[in-house]
Amino acid sequence: MASCRGLLDSLCQLLTVSECAACGGPAAPRSVFCSLCAHHVELTPEPTRACGLPLVSFARYGGSVAAAVKRLKFANRPDIARPLSHLLRHRVADRGLAPWRDVEVVVPVPLHPTRVVERGYNQACRPPSGRRTCTAPSGRGAG
């Protein structure tokens, strides 16, 4: 059993960044942000509702979260997406929702074709496996 735990720990470390997603400095194992940047993350309040469904986000866009998203988008760092998604998954669970049982739809925001060329990838084409996604009508912003 202990060997399984060690293997799982090693796999977890491979799936997480060892540097801060916001500033690029060193971060503790399994941490997305370094201790300094973590202080600049403003968690969102209780989820709002739309069409009777809860809308949950991890944190407000600003500070360290904005810096991490900008690195993801503009510094060709798609590896930052997974740790950020884990933060959202845990936030959903903290709200009393089962991360993938109670989540009906993940809505990716597609890029304009020129942005796809600039970045080299389209985040909307990387939804969580096995999840339904909303797609833009053909010819209207899908990229």
Side-chain angles (χ1 to χ4, degrees):
M1 188 66 153
S3 63
C4 288
R5 172 72 62 197
L7 178 61
L8 288 174
D9 287 343
S10 296
L11 286 173
C12 286
Q13 288 178 6
L14 287 174
L15 296 175
T16 59
V17 292
S18 59
E19 67 180 37
C20 177
C23 71
R30 298 187 186 148
S31 295
V32 178
F33 300 105
C34 67
S35 58
L36 180 64
C37 290
H39 290 294
H40 298 284
V41 173
E42 185 181 348
L43 299 178
T44 54
E46 292 299 316
T48 58
R49 298 190 78 76
C51 300
L53 299 172
L55 298 176
V56 181
S57 64
F58 162 66
R60 295 190 187 278
Y61 185 77
S64 299
V65 172
V69 170
K70 288 175 184 175
R71 288 184 77 212
L72 166 77
K73 292 170 65 173
F74 303 117
N76 194 24
R77 294 294 308 273
D79 58 300
I80 294 173
R82 182 175 300 266
L84 291 176
S85 72
H86 287 298
L87 293 176
L88 176 59
R89 183 174 54 98
H90 288 293
R91 188 72 168 163
V92 168
D94 289 346
R95 301 292 188 193
L97 302 171
W100 292 117
R101 187 191 73 221
D102 295 328
V103 174
E104 293 291 327
V105 179
V106 175
V107 183
V109 179
L111 288 177
H112 187 276
T114 56
R115 291 281 192 211
V116 174
V117 172
E118 289 173 7
R119 292 192 196 157
Y121 68 96
N122 184 350
Q123 76 277 351
C125 293
R126 298 177 178 196
S129 64
R131 298 291 148 221
R132 292 183 295 163
T133 61
C134 292
T135 56
S138 60
R140 296 191 59 216

